[in-house]
């Protein structure tokens, strides 16, 4: 890994994001607005808001980074800049680390803003530490990035790339235990959910929110970390120096 | 070393080959979309000169260029570039490639694009200034690449290849859509680079650009129809212009020399 190239790449990606003011505004405003909506939608049952609020704060970055990365990577492929980079002295890991670093920064800002609104303004309650929620959110941003990077290889247009969000992420949201506890699902779905990375990302957040810092939390964190690495390795395999 | 098979041997004018070959292609075959686009070609590209790659649309120029740069999956044969197999990691610093369609980040300015690629190549900041100057983009330096005109955008893409100090510069139709004055300036730049020891391969559709090349490679249907300096080519075909020479070669498909 080459530090100069990684830093050049991540600052280039951040510059591209910064230039797109509207997207940046959406990245920072959509999660707080959604949480505000939920707070008042759940006015009659505040304990429900306190249950799903913290996990949502931690899962927003995953969704967003997934979409942003898959489209950014697709553009990199279709604009020929990826081919150009692949003919330069840049290792695949440099590119991946550049993306990772840039999106970790964006994920941190997003998670911080969202947490400030949720735990500060909206009075969201949690048993655990807020900084742990933020930390998990950053990890989830990286998971979203890694998954987005991988699936972008299967999209040939931005239209397709956008569809991967409802196709690949929404089902995971439904099965993670956020909507319905996993024990109450049909058996096959419960098994299936055990294979999905978001299940562990959610579980870790739910545990932190409940103030439960047991070994299971670290198991969840380990699984998420493993999924990030696996998706990155698979993503790297889709970055080809030679194409037909 | 030229092949001895007369059917595949390109027209050579017996030039003294003192400079080592920058590129050596042997029996290269490439299949794209199920079709054999390059059916096995041999070619030597001299070092330190500007070699023009000419041929009708679809004749395989881009495919050959991609094989030389090492981004093309090939079916058979070998491609040696600057003494190493094409696509070797060691070559990524020594070979610069400009794709036919401009490849820059449309949401960054010209300078930001160049700074980024200079960062990847480890080229000094001064090389960014120089590349902007040489490609005549001073006025557009702070403009977002996505808002450049077609010709400006392809110059921005070309500017990236001038960063660093590549020994082999491979340009796929770099002068499309440029006005005559700019084209002349760019060709001057190509020759300056060659004078400083770089080797250039430039594909083009424009026949009058052929006269500006030190060496010509004419391609036809995935084969090398001829490979010689312009003057030698005219002499062989007893024609007065490269265009006529090209047509003469096209008319005699089996006997290229
Ligand atoms: N990805 C692909 N899949 C299938 N066929 C392809 C692919 N790319 C190129 N071809 C075919 O290979 C042939 C050679 O293409 P190539 O791009 O090398 O031509 P070219 O000489 O560069 O043409 P032009 O001057 O128009 O750029 C063409 O007939 C083209 O249709
Ligand atoms: Mg072409």
């Amino acid at each position: 890994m080459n530090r100069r190239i990684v830093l050049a790449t991540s600052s280039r990606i951040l510059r591209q994001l910064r230039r797109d003011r509207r997207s940046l505004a959406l990245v920072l405003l959509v999660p707080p607005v959604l949480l505000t909506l939920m707070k008042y939608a759940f006015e009659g049952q505040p304990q429900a808001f306190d249950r799903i609020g913290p996990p949502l704060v931690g899962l927003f970055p995953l969704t967003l980074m997934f979409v942003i990365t898959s489209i950014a990577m697709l553009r990199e492929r279709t604009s020929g800049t990826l081919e150009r980079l692949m003919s330069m002295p840049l290792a695949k890991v440099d590119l991946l680390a550049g993306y990772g670093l840039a999106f970790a920064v964006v994920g941190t800002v997003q998670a911080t803003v969202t947490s400030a609104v949720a735990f500060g303004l909206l009075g969201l309650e949690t048993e655990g530490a807020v900084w742990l929620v933020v930390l998990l959110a950053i990890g989830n941003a990286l998971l979203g990035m890694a998954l987005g990077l991988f699936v972008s290889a299967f999209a040939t247009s931005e239209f397709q790339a956008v569809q991967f969000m409802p196709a690949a992420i929404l089902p995971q949201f439904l099965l993670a235990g956020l909507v319905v506890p996993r024990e109450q699902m049909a058996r096959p779905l419960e098994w299936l959910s055990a294979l999905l990375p978001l299940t562990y990302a959610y579980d870790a957040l739910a545990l932190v929110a409940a103030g439960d810092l047991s070994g299971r939390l670290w198991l969840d964190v380990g699984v998420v970390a493993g999924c990030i690495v696996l998706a990155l390795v698979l993503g790297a395999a889709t970055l080809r120096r030679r194409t037909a | 070393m030229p092949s001895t098979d007369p059917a595949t041997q390109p027209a050579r004018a017996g030039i003294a080959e003192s400079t080592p070959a920058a590129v050596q292609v042997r029996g290269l075959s490439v299949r794209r979309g199920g079709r054999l686009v390059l059916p096995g070609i041999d070619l030597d590209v001299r070092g330190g000169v500007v070699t023009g790659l000419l041929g009708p649309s679809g004749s395989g120029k881009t495919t050959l260029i991609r094989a030389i740069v090492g981004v093309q999956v090939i079916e058979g044969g070998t491609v040696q570039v600057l003494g190493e197999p094409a696509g070797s990691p060691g070559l990524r610093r020594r070979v610069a490639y400009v794709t036919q369609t401009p490849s820059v980040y449309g949401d960054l300015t010209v300078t930001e694009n160049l700074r980024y690629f200079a960062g990847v190549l480890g080229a000094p900041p001064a090389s960014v200034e120089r590349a902007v100057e040489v490609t005549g983009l001073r006025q557009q330096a702070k403009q977002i690449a996505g808002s450049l005109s077609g010709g400006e955008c392809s110059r921005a893409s070309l500017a990236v290849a001038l960063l660093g100090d590549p020994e082999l510069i491979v340009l796929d139709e770099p002068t499309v859509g440029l006005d005559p004055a700019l084209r002349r300036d760019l060709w001057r730049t190509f020759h300056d680079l060659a004078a400083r020891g770089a080797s250039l391969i430039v594909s083009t559709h424009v026949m009058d650009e052929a006269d500006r090349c030190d060496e010509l490679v004419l391609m036809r249907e995935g084969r090398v129809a001829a490979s010689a300096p312009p003057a030698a080519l005219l002499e062989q075909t007893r024609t007065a212009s490269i265009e006529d020479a090209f047509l003469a070669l096209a008319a005699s498909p089996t006997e290229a020399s």
Side-chain angles (χ1 to χ4, degrees), chain B residues 61-63 100 172-173 203:
Chain B
K61 300 183 294 298
T62 298
T63 309
Q100 187 165 0
D172 201 352
E173 310 212 14
S203 85

Side-chain angles (χ1 to χ4, degrees), chain A residues 4-5 8-9 12 15-16 19 75-76 79-81 83-90 241-244, chain B residues 32 66 70-73 86 92-93 97 99 103-105 107-108 112 116-117 119-122 144 157 160:
Chain A
R4 185 194 72 233
I5 298 182
T9 303
R12 184 262 295 172
R15 195 179 299 269
Q16 287 178 293
R19 186 119 314 145
R75 281 194 189 155
E76 193 105 63
S79 69
T81 46
E83 179 171 83
R84 173 161 242 159
L85 287 174
M86 289 284 110
S87 73
M88 286 185 173
L90 161 136
R241 294 234 186 234
R242 279 181 192 269
T243 51
Chain B
R32 297 186 88 174
R66 283 171 46 84
V71 296
Q72 175 69 50
V73 174
R92 288 185 202 133
R93 201 171 285 284
Y97 170 40
T99 47
S103 47
V104 287
Y105 295 99
D107 45 5
L108 294 180
E112 286 167 346
Y116 171 54
F117 287 114
V120 170
L121 292 166
I144 297 284
S157 188
V160 177

Side-chain angles (χ1 to χ4, degrees), chain B residues 199-234:
Chain B
S199 311
L200 289 92
I201 300 176
V202 183
S203 85
T204 174
H205 263 130
V206 193
M207 286 293 173
D208 69 352
E209 288 190 338
D211 292 318
R212 305 186 203 257
C213 301
D214 302 311
E215 291 276 342
L216 288 178
V217 175
L218 300 191
M219 289 196 71
R220 223 168 59 81
E221 291 168 14
R223 292 177 193 280
V224 175
S227 165
L233 205 65
L234 296 182

Side-chain angles (χ1 to χ4, degrees), chain B residues 35-90:
Chain B
R35 198 161 63 79
L36 204 54
V37 174
L38 301 183
I41 68 175
D42 299 302
L43 178 69
D44 286 288
V45 175
R46 211 146 61 88
V49 298
V50 181
T51 302
L53 184 57
L54 280 81
S57 181
S59 57
K61 300 183 294 298
T62 298
T63 309
L64 174 59
I65 281 177
R66 283 171 46 84
I68 291 172
V69 180
V71 296
Q72 175 69 50
V73 174
I74 66 174
E75 185 161 275
T78 59
V79 182
Q80 287 280 322
V81 176
L82 304 171
E84 290 185 61
S88 308

